[in-house]
Each structure stands twice: as structure tokens, then as C-alpha cells.
């Protein structure tokens, strides 16, 4: 299953491009290194290498100053190897298991975690500082992966559309199937998109393993539109986003993230007093992203140091306005823009990882027969 990552995780580079600005600095490319001091790779031994390679999905983003701090502390320079959407990146690592392209993999989430763990992709390592990470995010007792961030996949709505129509925006899954919202929702393909899969899992959690199919029949009859991935749904089909407005999009409801509204504020010039989009908080599924030390990593020590750093306060407090996700370290500060314009989801839907592992393919197949036309 090729899985397009959100983002919440959110694809900030796509949003920035839609708004005509440059994404925040800090991402390395396939061939460049990020960090300070111009440290060079001195070899491929597990000790002695001065470069640590982080393999990630395309939405990984971090401030340059943060990477420089990592280099100053450890002597390692970080090279970021972006590898497409989350599912694509994960599949590439599974295919090269034992001879990985990097040292640490970032971006596998709870919807695909079982695939990574069952493949033997990671070497167990208990990162320093793990005791400060929220207990509910620690899904692997063997420490093959370390939780890094969380995000809530939720339906977003175009405030202007609903105000103009004098129609209350939907709040729950049930609302989305009502006639008042016919032909208004666009979602991502659960077989090719992480937000799409998360939204599907949210309906499984809400209606059960039998009831979710009846619910999707109702959504299909109510005109839900399915597209391949988040970028198309959010920036081309959703009328509330900057990209959607430019594209003259006509769908005022989209599956995105609870943290999407701050993006629309941050990159707008001038910044509005109120976000143009809102969140239907009764439609949310909690996504947890992990990183792990790749089995066969050439620089194990550097990889371990990087995992320690990823759950340190410096990196955790850099996350919200770079990747628009929530830190997992308890007590990490959130920026005002993130808290003011983002939605707080008190009771997100969740599905146990073992149930996802057992049923994911079957659920997606059943969903496809109902929703994809």
C-alpha cells in the first residue's frame, strides 16, 4: 500500500507552495547534508562516521538552528534522505532491509507500524529521555521504535462557505452523511494516503467492524469524492485552503488535520485575525509517528544519538511550526499561533495496533468496493 503522508502530520512544503512562499529552512535533500561545521563522513564503520543519515518521508522539516545544535552537542552532521510519501519510503526500506540507505527512519505511523515491526526493520534501542514521553504513545514495548509526534486526522471546513450558506458546519461522522452536506466532502484514498487511511480507521472506531461499511455506503450515496492523496484533496479540491481558492475548488469539507488552520494563518499575508478554516472535532483519528534505528545501520552510535535528540526538548518544541504536529514529550511548549488557531481534540478515535495489523488490508479492500468509483 503506497501511503501518502499528511502531514499532522502536515505537508507544509505543499501548503507553502500554494501560498507562494518558501518552506521553512532545515530539510536536507537526497544529496545534501544539514548541520554545522561541515563535518564529513569519515567512513562506514559503526563508530567513527561523522554523518548520520535520517531517512524520512517528504514532509520532514526542521529548523537549521536545531540541526546545528545537534552537531554542536554530538559532532555528527545530519543528512536527510527524503524518500517520497510515508508508505513509499517505508516500502523502500523494507526492500533494502539489512542494507539500509540510512541510519534512522522517521515517519512510520500507527496505521502502518505493524508492517515495519513484522519486517524486522529496526534494531531495538531505548532512547534516553523516553520516560518524559507520553505513555499513551509508547506502542512498542521492545523499543524498536520511538514515538516522536502526534497529530489528529480530522475533517476541516471552509468557514466562509458555511457562513454564506447560513449552514452550520458538520461536527461528527454522523453529520457528514446528512443530506445537508451532500457533495461537499473530499477525502483521500485509504489505499494510497495516510490521512485517508486514518479517516477510514476513525470510522471503524466509531461504528465498529461491521457498522463502518454501512456508514461508507451512506457517505458514498451522499456524494463523497475520493482522490489519491492529501495534496490533491487539500490544495486542489478544498475551497477553504489558499491553494483551493486559487484553483476555484468547490468542496468545502476535506479530510486533513486539526493543525491545518494554523498553516492557513502562518503563511497568509497579511495574517488574518481568524483562521479561514475550522475543524470538525468529532471526526478525528489520532496519528502517532515514530522513528527507529535501522537494522544494519552504518552509524549505529550516531543513529542512537539522533533518536535521543528527537525526543529532546529542543527538537520537540521545534516540531509544531515546522511539521504542524504535536510533541510527545510532556511539558514541551507550544507556540501561541499553534494553540490559538489549531483545534484541541479531547477524545480522538483510536484503533489498537494489533487490530490494525490484523484487519488493515481487509478494511481497505471493503472500503474500496464502497467508496472508489
Amino acid at each position: 500500500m503506497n501511503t501518502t503522508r499528511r502531514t499532522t502530520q502536515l505537508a507544509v512544503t505543499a501548503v507553502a507552495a500554494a501560498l507562494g512562499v518558501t518552506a521553512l529552512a532545515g530539510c536536507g535533500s537526497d544529496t545534501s547534508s544539514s548541520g554545522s561545521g561541515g563535518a564529513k563522513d569519515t567512513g562506514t564503520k559503526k563508530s567513527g562516521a561523522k554523518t548520520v543519515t535520517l531517512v524520512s518521508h517528504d514532509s520532514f522539516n526542521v529548523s537549521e538552528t536545531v540541526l546545528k545544535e545537534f552537531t554542536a552537542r554530538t559532532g555528527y552532521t545530519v543528512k536527510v534522505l527524503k524518500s517520497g510519501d510515508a508508505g513509499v519510503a517505508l516500502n523502500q526500506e523494507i526492500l533494502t532491509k539489512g542494507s539500509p540507505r540510512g541510519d534512522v527512519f522517521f515517519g512510520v505511523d500507527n496505521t502502518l507500524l505493524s508492517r515495519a515491526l513484522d519486517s524486522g526493520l529496526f534494531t531495538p534501542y531505548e532512547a534516553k529521555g523516553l520516560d518524559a514521553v507520553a505513555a499513551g504513545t509508547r506502542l512498542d514495548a521492545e523499543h524498536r521504535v520511538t514515538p516522536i509526534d502526534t497529530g489528529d486526522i480530522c475533517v476541516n471546513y471552509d468557514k466562509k462557505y458555511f457562513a454564506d450558506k447560513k449552514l452550520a458546519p458538520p461536527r461528527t461522522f454522523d453529520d457528514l452523511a446528512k443530506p445537508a452536506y451532500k457533495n461537499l466532502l473530499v477525502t483521500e484514498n485509504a489505499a494510497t494516503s495516510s490521512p485517508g487511511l486514518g479517516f477510514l480507521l476513525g470510522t471503524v472506531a466509531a461504528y465498529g467492524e461491521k457498522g463502518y461499511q454501512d456508514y461508507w455506503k451512506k457517505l458514498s450515496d451522499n456524494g463523497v469524492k475520493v482522490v489519491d492523496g492529501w495534496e490533491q484533496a487539500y490544495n486542489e479540491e478544498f475551497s477553504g485552503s489558499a491553494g483551493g481558492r486559487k484553483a476555484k475548488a468547490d468542496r468545502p469539507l476535506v479530510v486533513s488535520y486539526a493543525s491545518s488552520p494554523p498553516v492557513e494563518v502562518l503563511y497568509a499575508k497579511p495574517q488574518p485575525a481568524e483562521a479561514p478554516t475550522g475543524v470538525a472535532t468529532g471526526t478525528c483519528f489520532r496519528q502517532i509517528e515514530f522513528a527507529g534505528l535501522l537494522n544494519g545501520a552504518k552509524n549505529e552510535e550516531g543513529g542512537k544519538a539522533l533518536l535521543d535528540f528527537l525526543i529532546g526538548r529542543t527538537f520537540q518544541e521545534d516540531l509544531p511550526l515546522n511539521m504542524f504536529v504535536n510533541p510527545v514529550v510532556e511539558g514541551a511548549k507550544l507556540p501561541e499561533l499553534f494553540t490559538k488557531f489549531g483545534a484541541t481534540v479531547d477524545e480522538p478515535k483510536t484503533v489498537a495496533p494489533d487490530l490494525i495489523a490484523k484487519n488493515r488490508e481487509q478494511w481497505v479492500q471493503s472500503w474500496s468496493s464502497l467508496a472508489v468509483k
Side-chain angles (χ1 to χ4, degrees), residues 312-370:
R313 192 168 293 268
T314 298
F315 183 84
Q316 288 284 301
E317 292 183 352
D318 190 62
L319 280 169
L321 292 185
N322 273 312
M323 288 192 278
F324 293 88
V325 290
N326 294 292
V328 293
V329 169
E330 295 175 333
K333 294 180 181 178
L334 292 171
E336 182 181 2
L337 183 142
F338 196 79
T339 57
K340 181 178 180 181
F341 298 106
T344 299
V345 182
D346 295 324
E347 297 181 356
K349 301 298 183 184
T350 60
V351 178
D354 59 335
L355 283 178
I356 296 175
K358 181 180 178 182
N359 298 294
R360 180 178 55 238
E361 304 303 330
Q362 176 189 332
W363 288 340
V364 170
Q365 283 186 345
S366 297
W367 173 88
S368 297
S369 68
L370 296 168

Side-chain angles (χ1 to χ4, degrees), residues 4 187-189 192-193 195 227-234:
T4 298
T187 187
E188 301 84 359
N189 192 320
T192 58
S193 163
V227 298
D228 287 339
W230 177 89
E231 184 175 347
Q232 182 183 357
Y234 192 85

Side-chain angles (χ1 to χ4, degrees), residues 303-316:
K304 291 176 181 179
L306 183 57
L307 286 171
D308 295 343
F309 188 75
L310 292 179
I311 58 170
R313 192 168 293 268
T314 298
F315 183 84
Q316 288 284 301

Side-chain angles (χ1 to χ4, degrees), residues 2-13:
N2 290 338
T3 304
T4 298
R5 204 255 191 192
R6 91 199 118 64
T7 209
T8 226
Q9 333 145 298
L10 188 66
V12 63
T13 52

Side-chain angles (χ1 to χ4, degrees), residues 80-125:
V80 180
L81 180 61
K82 293 188 176 184
S83 302
D85 297 328
V88 173
L90 177 60
N91 287 340
Q92 286 181 304
E93 288 312 304
I94 291 174
L95 290 172
T96 58
K97 183 182 69 173
S99 299
R101 298 174 299 150
D103 305 302
V104 171
F105 183 86
F106 168 84
V108 61
D109 70 12
N110 48 317
T111 69
L112 292 173
L113 181 60
S114 62
R115 176 179 295 172
L117 298 184
D118 291 346
S119 298
L121 200 58
F122 301 113
T123 298
Y125 172 66

Side-chain angles (χ1 to χ4, degrees), residues 35-40 68 71 77:
S36 67
K40 297 180 180 179
K68 287 181 178 180
T71 300
T77 298

Side-chain angles (χ1 to χ4, degrees), residues 279-297:
V279 176
T281 55
T283 65
C284 301
F285 176 82
R286 177 63 50 85
Q287 184 180 47
I288 306 170
E289 280 195 306
F290 302 86
L293 181 66
L294 287 164
N295 184 17

